[in-house]
Amino acid sequence: MSGAIGFARLFDVHDPRAVWSETVRLRNLFLLAVAAWPAACGVPPRGTCNPDPPPGAVGTICGFANPEDVEVVSAAELLLVSEMRHERAPGGGMLAALPLGVSEQRPPRPRRLWPTGDRTRDVNVAPAPAGDPSCIEPPAADAFSPHGVASAPAGADVVRIAVVGHGAREAIELFDLAGSGKAASLTWRGCVPLPPNTVANDVSIAPDGEIIVSNYMPSMRGLRGLYYTVKSGLGGITGDVMAWRAETGWRHLPGTAAACPNGVLVSRDGAMVYYAETGSGRISRVRRSGATAEQKPEHVVIGGNPDNLSLTPRGTILAATHTDGAAFLFCVFGRQPCRTGWSLFEIDPVTLGATQLLHHDGSAVGAVASAAEFAGRVYLGSVFDDRIGVWRRSTPPAS
């Protein structure tokens, strides 16, 4: 077979001419990355962490490894952090906790929540597993790679945690969180396997228990993953938003097809779904039932490459977006420390008005992918760093 046709089959594309076009564009992206190389070189090591910065400054809390997503669990007075496993690193990732209560030590120190290595403590599927009843074994600890994280009340003194899991399998892993602060513990309760050719990025839990995920792209591995990454950067559709409930299984939300749908968030009343489109720079909103001819998705453009979303105590939405374009690729390929710039936006969920709260050059913490607010501080997750950020406004937000 010809090279173009073989390339097409590798990427599941049926028109060799389209593949050739994408190949040319990939070459141009590579040249852009090479041009950005001087800006990515010559970066000195980071200094020590500063967990208590003055208002307006970005501080840092050390002790993490690739802390991609951060989730405030107010009932447990802790920040849940997903530490992703990257293929070049040995061992698996983990879920870590940072105590946030006023009685906790300062500066706070993260600790491992799952896996702990104690199977009796880590796993409890009695009397029945949560999620898909066929999922009765936890992910292999040495291949576990947690990504997006969400939480929701699940009964007296228990919080249900949903985690996008890669590595061992593509699934939404479900946990129960009990206790608070230093006494908090996580127990694996089941999972929901994702459909074939689906790689999720983020997850949210609706008030009625339905699980909402961003279907990021069909694959993130090898050349096929690179193809979809480039495609999304050129505005091409790679996925959509999906939802799962035990009675009906998976469904696609009509009208949500997007270029790398990333962060996803369900409104407090469960009526609306918000999702970030990494490839288009937009934050979009649609009814949880999906779009119709009369009610199409609505959008606000914040620019850059938007990542995760979270709700503030005031009900507004925080969105982190990467702003350094091609230089970010060097972090993907292992450049450390990763000092790519990012911005933080606050979005009104009703009007979709967006306000930039902060832009940072990545000198304190780079590649910020997520933000979560607690007690006036905003904690910032980073997909390629050994620390998280912490920031508070110079002036308190309007209530």
Side-chain angles (χ1 to χ4, degrees):
M1 69 181 67
S2 72
I5 293 175
F7 205 51
R9 290 183 178 177
L10 175 64
F11 289 134
D12 293 337
V13 175
H14 301 293
D15 184 353
R17 292 171 298 179
V19 172
W20 175 250
S21 175
E22 297 295 354
T23 304
V24 172
R25 291 175 179 177
L26 177 58
R27 180 203 63 187
N28 293 339
L29 181 68
F30 172 75
L31 293 175
L32 180 62
V34 170
W37 176 262
C41 292
V43 180
R46 295 193 191 281
T48 58
C49 281
N50 174 20
D52 192 24
V58 176
T60 48
I61 301 173
C62 286
F64 296 93
N66 310 315
E68 197 274 344
D69 200 8
V70 290
E71 170 83 359
V72 167
V73 186
S74 299
E77 292 189 319
L78 60 79
L79 184 76
L80 190 61
V81 181
S82 66
E83 299 195 29
M84 289 187 69
R85 170 187 179 271
H86 292 299
E87 292 185 359
R88 293 178 301 275
M94 70 175 180
L95 297 170
L98 186 75
L100 297 177
V102 294
S103 62
E104 303 292 352
Q105 68 178 42
R106 290 287 184 267
R109 295 180 182 176
R111 68 182 181 90
R112 176 187 290 260
L113 272 189
W114 199 95
T116 65
D118 182 345
R119 183 174 175 83
T120 302
R121 179 180 177 182
D122 287 346
V123 181
N124 176 19
V125 296
D132 190 317
S134 67
C135 184
I136 59 174
E137 289 291 335
D142 60 355
F144 181 49
S145 183
H147 201 158
V149 180
S151 63
D157 302 321
V158 175
V159 177
R160 173 57 47 83
I161 305 296
V163 180
V164 173
H166 309 302
R169 61 189 174 211
E170 293 292 333
I172 306 302
E173 306 291 345
L174 301 174
F175 301 83
D176 280 349
L177 174 66
S180 63
K182 295 178 182 179
S185 63
L186 268 185
T187 301
W188 184 83
R189 291 285 290 118
C191 82
V192 181
L194 288 159
N197 294 313
T198 301
V199 175
N201 189 303
D202 197 17
V203 60
S204 188
I205 305 174
D208 61 3
E210 187 173 43
I211 295 172
I212 313 296
V213 304
S214 53
N215 169 22
Y216 190 62
M217 60 175 61
S219 174
M220 291 178 62
R221 294 181 178 274
L223 289 175
R224 190 167 179 239
L226 181 59
Y227 165 75
Y228 287 114
T229 300
V230 173
K231 180 179 180 180
S232 74
L234 299 170
I237 301 301
T238 64
D240 60 2
V241 178
M242 299 170 56
W244 181 90
R245 62 173 70 245
E247 301 82 6
T248 56
W250 287 105
R251 67 182 177 94
H252 296 265
L253 272 62
T256 60
C260 280
N262 195 321
V264 67
L265 184 66
V266 181
S267 61
R268 286 177 173 168
D269 63 5
M272 308 299 294
V273 172
Y274 301 83
Y275 55 101
E277 300 184 24
T278 296
S280 68
R282 304 188 305 189
I283 307 299
S284 298
R285 176 177 65 190
V286 68
R287 298 195 67 82
R288 184 149 63 104
S289 56
T292 64
E294 294 76 26
Q295 292 183 314
K296 298 182 183 297
E298 300 171 280
H299 318 279
V300 59
V301 176
I302 65 171
N305 303 111
D307 211 307
N308 289 336
L309 308 175
S310 70
L311 276 176
T312 70
R314 299 172 302 284
T316 57
I317 298 171
L318 293 180
T321 186
H322 307 287
T323 59
D324 277 358
F328 186 84
L329 290 175
F330 292 104
C331 300
V332 174
F333 291 115
R335 170 162 285 281
Q336 296 295 330
C338 182
R339 293 194 174 186
T340 58
W342 49 271
S343 293
L344 179 66
F345 282 81
E346 185 169 23
I347 299 170
D348 186 312
V350 178
T351 66
L352 288 186
T355 302
Q356 181 174 300
L357 302 179
L358 174 67
H359 176 72
H360 189 66
D361 62 4
S363 56
V365 58
V368 163
S370 56
E373 184 176 334
F374 181 83
R377 292 173 179 253
V378 177
Y379 297 88
L380 304 158
S382 168
V383 67
F384 299 119
D385 222 323
D386 63 355
R387 59 197 64 194
I388 64 173
V390 58
W391 173 79
R392 52 185 170 142
R393 307 172 198 236
S394 300
T395 57
S399 58

